[in-house]
Amino acid sequence: MQMKNEDSHSKQNILTSGISDKWQKYWEENNIFKAEDFSKRKKYYVLMMFPYPSGSRLHVGHCRNYIIGDVITRYKKMQGFNVLSPMGWDAFGLPAENAAILHNVHPQDWTFENIKVMKGQLKKIGLCYDWDREITTCKPDYYKWTQFLFLKFYEKGLAYKKKKDANWCPSCMTVLANEQVIDGECWRCKSKVVKKELDQWFFKITEYAERLLNDLKLLKGWPPEVKIMQENWIGKSSGVEINFKIKGETDLIPVYTTRIDTIYGVTYLVLAPEHPLVEKLVKGTSYEQKVKEFVERMRMQSEIIRTSDSTEKEGLFIGRYAINPLNGEEIPIFIANYVLVEYGTGAVMGVPAHDQRDLQFARKYNLPVKIVIKPFNKDLNPQTMQEAYVEEGIQVNSGEFSGKRSSEAINLIAEYIEKKGLGKRTVKYKLRDWLISRQRYWGAPIPIVYCDKCGIVPVKEEDLPVTLPYNVDFRPGSISPLARVKEFVETKCPKCGKPAKRETDTMDTFICSSWYFLRFTDANNKEEIFNKDKVKYWMPVDQYVGGVEHAILHLLYARFFTKVLYDLKFLDFQEPFTNLFTQGMVLKDGAVMSKSKGNTVVADELIEKYGADTVRGFILFAAPPEKELEWSDKGIEGIYRFLNRVYRLVESNLSNLRDPKDIKDFNNLCKESKDLYKIMNKTIKKVRDDIELKFHFNTAIAYLMELVNYIYSSKVPDGEKEKEEYFAILSIVFKNLILCLSPFAPHLSEELWERLGNKPSVFLHEFPNYDPDFIKDEAVTIVVEINGKIRNRLVLESNLPDEKLKEIVLKDTKIQKYISGKQIKNIFIVKDKLINIIV
C-alpha cells in the first residue's frame, strides 16, 4: 500500500488562505517575540541593519537581510534563548530628503508615511520583532541622545571645527566624508565630487586608529574580507620621516617614506598641490600663474580619482630644488595630482627605479632613473627598465650602505638618520578624521552656539534636544536651510546669556546609526541614554546581519563610537558585534535590484500571489545567503509547490495518525524502523548544522524537501497492527518536520502544528534534536592520499571524528611505509571521502 498520492487530495492553497494574518495577529497579541530584560535564560541579541525609510515599498532585495535575521531569531528562541530582535528606522539623511524634494513633500511627512507602509510590509512577511523597542532616529526622543553624545565627544576633545577643503557634491549640495566618495562620485546620487573650502565639524577618529586596527583580531566571528577592508582603510604603515632642505630657503620639507632603503635613489621631490609651502615657493616667479591654475584644477578633482591607478599622473615643476640630506644631490621639486596633503606629510620622494608610479612619472617628464637596489643575481639598466625593481636585493650606489641586503639597510639607514638628526622613525595611517557636518536640513542639529564674547559654546545637556524646526524651506542652496530660519538661528549664549547664534549644519546620518544598537536595549528610557545594567545584559550583539557595502562606513563608525563610550565609562566592552554575517545582493536580469534600474520585484505583490512563506522560502532557498541571488519566477513557483505539498501531505494523513503512547514498546519499534525514523534523524542533524554552523538555509530546506519526497514514496504496511505502528512513527516524523520547517515557513508551520493537535505557538517548543544512534550510515570508502597521490582506500564507519580517522589511517601498514621517517606537515580531510597527508 503506497502513501496517499499528493494529487489525491484537494489542492487548497493554504499559503494564501489567511493563515499569515491569523498567526501574525496571534504572535503580536501574545507577545511571543517580546524580549525580557534580565531573564535567567541565556540572552541572544540578533540585529539586522535597520532600513532607510526613503522609499515606501520594499522589494525582495531589501527583504533578504531581514528574513535571514528572522530565521536566526526563531531558531534561537526554539533553543531556549531569551532573544532580542528589535527594529527601527534610520530616518535622517540625504536619501529621505532628496526623495521628499522630488515628491514636493516635507521630509518629516514623507519619512513617517514611509515608515507606516514599510512597517506593514515587514509584518506582512512575518518578521518577528519586539516592536515595543522600535526607534526612529529623526524623532526628538532619539536625536536628543545623539546630540548628548556629540557633547560628550566635544568634552573629550574628539569633536572639533576647522576650515578645510571638503568633498562637495554639487547635486546633493552638501559635503561628504571620505568614506562616502566612491570612485570620485557621491555614494548616493553618483554625481562627480569636487573640492570646496568650508568650516566643518570633525570627529577625531584618528585617535582610535591603532585600537580600531588592533582589535580586528578580536572579531573571530567576522568575515575575513570585511576585516581586510577595514585594515586597508585604516592603512597603518611604519617608516621614516626625513627632512629635505630647500635650496636658498630656511624651510624644510618633511617627507614620509616606508622605503628609506631607496633614499639614495631619489631624483625628484613631489609636493601635494595644496601643500602650504607651494604658494610661498612660487610667489613672484614665472611659475606662479601656471602653479595657481594647476592647483585650482586639482582642487576640483576628488582624492579617489587623483590617487587611482587608472588616472594619468600629472605634474608641474615649480622652479625650485631640494637637497637630498644623505648625498647632498640637488633634485627638482614638482607638484602632482597623486600626492595628497593630508596623507603622510603631503610630500613624496620620487624613486623611479624602485616605484612603478615614480618610474612612469619620471619617463613622462624626462627625469633621471637611479638604481640603488639590484637583484642578487643580475644587474639592472636604468635606461631601458620598464618595470621598477621593488623586491629585496643588494644596496648599490648607497654610500656606506652599499653591499648590504636592502632588508638590513632599512634599519641601518633609519638609525643613521636619527643619529644625525635628519629625521625620525614614525607610524602613519591613511585614516583621516570623520567630517560630520552637513549643509542640509534633514539631520540632527549640532548642539553648538556661537557667542561673540564666549566663542564656541556647547548647549547645556538639560536644554537638549535642540529641536529641528518643521517650517523650513528645506531645498538646498548656497547656505544651510537652517541658516535661513531666524527663529532657529537667534538664541542666547548658554554661558553668558547674551545674544548668540546656533550652528546651522546638521550631523551626518551615520552618527545616528553608530549607536542605535545600544538604544535598542532600553528604547523607552526618557531619563538617560540607556540603563547601563540593561546594556551590560544585552550587549554586545551576538549576531549582526547586513550588507558588505557597510564594511567601512557604518561598521567602522560603530566600532569607533563603542570604544569612545567604553573610555567614557558608559560601556564595559569595546566591540559592538560579536558575529557579523554579510548577505549577498539580489539580482534580476544580471543586475542588482534597484528602483533606478527598473528591475525590482515588489514583496507585497508576491505575498499576495504566493503567500509570505513562499517569498521567505524562495529568498532562503535560491542561493547560499552570502552569495548573490538571481531572481527567478520559476524558482518561486518551485517553493510554492513544495510548501503546498507539505500541507497536503500532513492534511491528507491527519485521520490516520496514531499517538505513540498507544503503541506498545514504541521506542523499540523506532529502533527497528531502519528507514523513515533514521532519515528523519539525519534530516534533523543536517538542518541543525546548516542553520547553526553555516547559515546554509538553502541546503537545510533542500534536506526537508528530500524528507518530504521520501515520505511520499514510502509504503504503508498492509497489516492493521503494522499500519498503526507506521502512522505512530509518522506522527513523530510530521512533528519534527514542522518544527524544522518553522523558522523558514512560520505561518504554515503554526497552522500544521495546531492541526496536529499541539498547542501554539510552535516557537514555544524546543527545536528537535537527533538521536546519534540513527545518523550512522553504512561503511564508506575513504581515499587516502599522500602529497596528493592515492596510496590506499579504506572501508570505514561513516561520520568518524577527524582525530579518530587520523589515528586509523596513520596506523595503517600500507600508509606507514610511505610516511616512515618523514615529517607530517599537514593533514586535510574531506568528510567521509578523502584524507590527504602532506609530508
Side-chain angles (χ1 to χ4, degrees):
M1 178 179 174
Q2 198 80 11
M3 171 64 66
K4 285 190 180 178
N5 188 282
E6 56 183 302
D7 296 320
S8 68
H9 193 273
S10 165
K11 289 192 178 182
Q12 174 195 0
N13 185 3
I14 190 68
L15 301 172
T16 56
S17 65
I19 59 167
S20 295
D21 293 340
K22 170 185 172 181
W23 290 108
Q24 287 164 20
K25 183 180 178 184
Y26 177 87
W27 298 331
E28 193 166 340
E29 289 178 351
N30 291 275
N31 293 317
I32 298 297
F33 296 102
K34 185 174 176 61
E36 180 188 348
D37 293 325
F38 310 118
S39 168
K40 290 180 181 178
R41 289 177 294 153
K42 190 175 180 182
K43 71 92 181 180
Y44 198 88
Y45 187 173
V46 185
L47 185 64
M48 285 64 76
M49 293 181 184
F50 63 167
Y52 294 111
S54 56
S56 62
R57 305 193 79 190
L58 290 170
H59 58 67
V60 295
H62 297 131
C63 292
R64 195 180 195 194
N65 172 45
Y66 311 123
I67 292 169
I68 289 168
D70 191 67
V71 171
I72 299 165
T73 298
R74 292 176 185 275
Y75 177 72
K76 287 297 178 182
K77 184 170 183 64
M78 295 174 77
Q79 285 191 310
F81 286 90
N82 178 31
V83 182
L84 170 58
S85 178
M87 180 48 67
W89 312 96
D90 194 5
F92 268 144
L94 285 176
E97 186 173 344
N98 287 342
I101 291 168
L102 182 67
H103 293 88
N104 197 28
V105 181
H106 194 283
Q108 179 175 299
D109 301 338
W110 173 260
T111 298
F112 287 162
E113 181 58 33
N114 287 341
I115 286 172
K116 181 181 174 184
V117 173
M118 290 172 72
K119 186 173 180 179
Q121 290 177 302
L122 293 176
K123 286 186 173 184
K124 192 179 283 188
I125 206 162
L127 303 173
C128 54
Y129 300 122
D130 182 350
W131 286 107
D132 289 346
R133 297 173 186 259
E134 181 180 6
I135 58 175
T136 306
T137 62
C138 68
K139 286 185 175 181
D141 65 352
Y142 185 87
Y143 70 73
K144 168 185 178 177
W145 301 111
T146 301
Q147 293 172 341
F148 168 83
L149 289 174
F150 178 94
L151 295 179
K152 292 300 175 188
F153 277 52
Y154 185 78
E155 287 171 17
K156 191 171 168 58
L158 294 172
Y160 67 94
K161 191 173 191 181
K162 74 171 182 179
K163 189 179 285 288
K164 171 183 183 299
D165 270 0
N167 303 307
W168 177 263
C169 174
S171 175
C172 296
M173 297 192 78
T174 190
V175 298
L176 304 171
N178 293 307
E179 294 87 351
Q180 293 166 324
V181 180
I182 300 170
D183 296 330
E185 297 178 346
C186 173
W187 73 302
R188 275 294 170 191
C189 71
K190 308 304 180 190
S191 297
K192 290 289 181 186
V193 171
V194 297
K195 289 291 182 182
K196 187 172 183 178
E197 188 176 66
L198 291 167
D199 261 348
Q200 303 291 308
W201 280 98
F202 294 83
F203 276 168
K204 207 177 286 185
I205 192 172
T206 51
E207 277 202 11
Y208 285 76
E210 189 67 18
R211 283 167 66 182
L212 287 166
L213 184 64
N214 285 340
D215 288 355
L216 286 171
K217 65 178 177 289
L218 303 176
L219 303 175
K220 308 293 187 189
W222 281 42
E225 63 270 21
V226 173
K227 292 194 281 186
I228 290 169
M229 289 167 76
Q230 291 213 357
E231 185 178 329
N232 291 341
W233 189 261
I234 295 166
K236 179 181 178 180
S237 64
S238 298
V240 175
E241 192 173 289
I242 184 168
N243 296 312
F244 283 71
K245 290 180 180 178
I246 305 170
K247 186 178 179 182
E249 300 285 341
T250 56
D251 293 296
L252 296 173
I253 300 176
V255 174
Y256 173 74
T257 178
T258 59
R259 291 292 310 275
I260 198 65
D261 53 328
T262 65
I263 184 70
Y264 286 89
V266 177
T267 60
Y268 64 96
L269 204 65
V270 184
L271 300 179
E274 305 87 350
H275 195 289
L277 276 176
V278 171
E279 187 177 353
K280 177 183 176 182
L281 292 175
V282 299
K283 193 171 183 63
T285 72
S286 60
Y287 294 90
E288 184 174 12
Q289 187 56 38
K290 284 184 178 179
V291 167
K292 277 185 177 179
E293 291 170 4
F294 186 89
V295 171
E296 191 56 35
R297 189 156 57 85
M298 290 304 103
R299 287 184 73 245
M300 301 302 288
Q301 283 188 8
S302 81
E303 294 170 359
I304 306 294
I305 287 178
R306 280 172 57 175
T307 57
S308 170
D309 288 339
S310 61
T311 301
E312 185 180 358
K313 305 300 174 263
E314 291 184 75
L316 185 71
F317 176 53
I318 66 170
R320 305 300 293 266
Y321 290 85
I323 299 169
N324 188 324
L326 263 70
N327 59 16
E329 291 182 0
E330 291 184 10
I331 52 177
I333 301 174
F334 279 72
I335 54 175
N337 59 346
Y338 65 86
V339 181
L340 304 178
V341 73
E342 287 193 341
Y343 180 61
T345 62
V348 171
M349 59 188 207
V351 190
H354 306 293
D355 183 283
Q356 188 63 28
R357 180 192 61 189
D358 293 351
L359 181 60
Q360 291 168 354
F361 192 86
R363 296 297 189 212
K364 181 175 180 178
Y365 294 102
N366 296 315
L367 296 165
V369 177
K370 184 178 178 183
I371 292 166
V372 294
I373 300 172
K374 76 176 196 70
F376 294 106
N377 56 358
K378 66 175 182 178
D379 292 325
L380 298 172
N381 186 339
Q383 307 304 320
T384 59
M385 66 190 301
Q386 297 300 309
E387 288 190 14
Y389 183 71
V390 296
E391 305 299 326
E392 186 180 6
I394 299 295
Q395 297 284 148
V396 293
N397 305 316
S398 298
E400 64 187 83
F401 304 101
S402 294
K404 304 285 186 186
R405 292 180 76 102
S406 56
S407 56
E408 182 186 4
I410 284 182
N411 289 323
L412 292 173
I413 296 173
E415 287 172 4
Y416 177 83
I417 286 169
E418 287 184 324
K419 184 178 177 182
K420 296 289 185 180
L422 302 173
K424 61 182 179 179
R425 279 181 269 213
T426 187
V427 171
K428 298 283 185 182
Y429 301 89
K430 286 183 181 178
L431 180 69
R432 277 163 281 170
D433 283 343
W434 176 9
L435 192 161
I436 68 159
S437 297
R438 297 295 177 269
Q439 294 67 44
R440 293 295 291 260
Y441 164 66
W442 194 233
I446 296 173
I448 288 291
V449 169
Y450 301 99
C451 173
D452 289 340
K453 179 186 174 185
C454 306
I456 296 176
V457 184
V459 173
K460 292 179 180 177
E461 286 181 20
E462 58 265 31
D463 293 334
L464 298 179
V466 176
T467 309
L468 190 68
Y470 181 83
N471 294 316
V472 177
D473 177 7
F474 51 81
R475 290 169 297 180
S478 57
I479 60 172
S480 167
L482 290 179
R484 304 194 288 261
V485 184
K486 183 179 178 182
E487 298 80 6
F488 178 83
V489 175
E490 294 181 356
T491 187
K492 289 183 178 179
C493 174
K495 190 179 285 187
C496 71
K498 290 186 177 181
K501 293 185 176 181
R502 290 194 188 280
E503 172 62 72
T504 56
D505 282 356
T506 54
M507 288 189 241
D508 181 6
T509 186
F510 278 98
I511 291 176
C512 301
S513 60
S514 293
W515 71 278
Y516 80 111
F517 43 89
L518 300 168
R519 185 65 178 174
F520 274 137
T521 68
D522 196 14
N524 301 303
N525 193 330
K526 295 179 181 178
E527 306 304 320
E528 54 187 341
I529 186 168
F530 45 71
N531 178 277
K532 290 183 181 179
D533 289 334
K534 289 183 180 179
V535 164
K536 190 172 184 177
Y537 173 77
W538 285 112
M539 289 293 296
V541 173
D542 295 282
Q543 183 64 61
Y544 201 24
V545 181
V548 73
E549 66 273 18
H550 297 294
I552 293 169
L553 285 163
H554 163 59
L555 291 171
L556 187 66
Y557 295 153
R559 295 181 62 225
F560 167 53
F561 260 62
T562 303
K563 292 180 189 303
V564 174
L565 289 172
Y566 173 83
D567 291 349
L568 291 169
K569 311 298 183 189
F570 281 87
L571 308 174
D572 63 355
F573 54 91
Q574 296 199 57
E575 288 292 339
F577 315 121
T578 302
N579 296 292
L580 172 69
F581 183 82
T582 52
Q583 86 280 358
M585 297 287 194
V586 178
L587 312 180
K588 187 168 188 288
D589 305 324
V592 174
M593 269 194 195
S594 161
K595 237 193 296 187
S596 62
K597 292 177 181 157
N599 67 341
T600 59
V601 178
V602 180
D604 301 46
E605 296 167 2
L606 287 170
I607 291 170
E608 191 71 29
K609 183 176 180 182
Y610 294 106
D613 285 342
T614 305
V615 177
R616 293 169 62 100
F618 174 74
I619 289 172
L620 295 167
F621 179 68
E626 73 277 9
K627 303 292 186 185
E628 290 179 340
L629 183 159
E630 178 69 43
W631 180 259
S632 159
D633 293 334
K634 196 177 287 185
I636 197 167
E637 289 281 353
I639 286 290
Y640 183 61
R641 287 193 299 272
F642 164 65
L643 293 176
N644 272 297
R645 289 185 80 211
V646 173
Y647 168 71
R648 292 193 298 272
L649 177 63
V650 176
E651 182 71 10
S652 64
N653 288 285
L654 278 176
S655 59
N656 294 323
L657 298 179
R658 293 292 178 266
D659 189 336
K661 294 175 186 174
D662 297 337
I663 306 297
K664 188 178 179 182
D665 293 330
F666 180 74
N667 289 336
N668 289 330
L669 175 67
C670 290
K671 289 175 182 175
E672 293 169 8
S673 171
K674 292 182 180 178
D675 296 324
L676 186 55
Y677 202 73
K678 183 175 184 179
I679 287 172
M680 177 198 76
N681 275 279
K682 290 173 71 174
T683 301
I684 292 169
K685 183 184 187 305
K686 289 173 181 175
V687 171
R688 285 182 71 100
D689 287 351
D690 278 354
I691 295 177
E692 190 150 353
L693 303 179
K694 314 174 202 170
F695 290 174
H696 283 181
F697 309 129
N698 57 320
T699 51
I701 293 171
Y703 292 133
L704 293 174
M705 288 177 170
E706 290 177 9
L707 176 60
V708 169
N709 287 338
Y710 185 84
I711 298 169
Y712 266 115
S713 66
S714 65
K715 291 183 178 180
V716 180
D718 292 327
E720 286 304 314
K721 179 176 178 292
E722 290 79 6
K723 194 185 297 182
E724 284 199 358
E725 290 172 347
Y726 175 85
F727 280 110
I729 291 174
L730 192 63
S731 70
I732 298 293
V733 173
F734 278 173
K735 176 183 174 183
N736 286 315
L737 167 64
I738 293 164
L739 288 167
C740 286
L741 184 65
S742 60
F744 312 115
H747 310 94
L748 176 63
S749 299
E750 287 278 28
E751 187 69 17
L752 292 176
W753 188 252
E754 185 181 59
R755 293 195 186 199
L756 282 174
N758 300 301
K759 290 183 179 179
S761 158
V762 68
F763 299 105
L764 298 179
H765 292 263
E766 187 180 350
F767 198 88
N769 214 330
Y770 57 89
D771 186 333
D773 290 337
F774 287 87
I775 62 167
K776 294 176 183 173
D777 279 325
E778 289 71 34
V780 291
T781 300
I782 306 291
V783 175
V784 184
E785 294 181 349
I786 296 176
N787 290 351
K789 291 184 178 180
I790 297 174
R791 297 302 187 188
N792 202 2
R793 287 180 172 85
L794 300 176
V795 178
L796 301 170
E797 179 186 339
S798 70
N799 282 308
L800 279 173
D802 287 354
E803 291 306 314
K804 183 67 177 174
L805 177 62
K806 290 177 190 177
E807 181 187 338
I808 293 170
V809 170
L810 294 176
K811 286 181 179 177
D812 180 70
T813 52
K814 201 169 182 181
I815 296 304
Q816 280 197 327
K817 76 176 184 182
Y818 289 105
I819 63 175
S820 179
K822 295 181 180 177
Q823 181 187 353
I824 295 175
K825 290 188 174 182
N826 215 334
I827 298 178
F828 299 99
I829 294 173
V830 179
K831 195 73 173 174
D832 285 346
K833 290 183 179 178
L834 177 143
I835 179 168
N836 185 16
I837 304 165
I838 307 299
V839 299

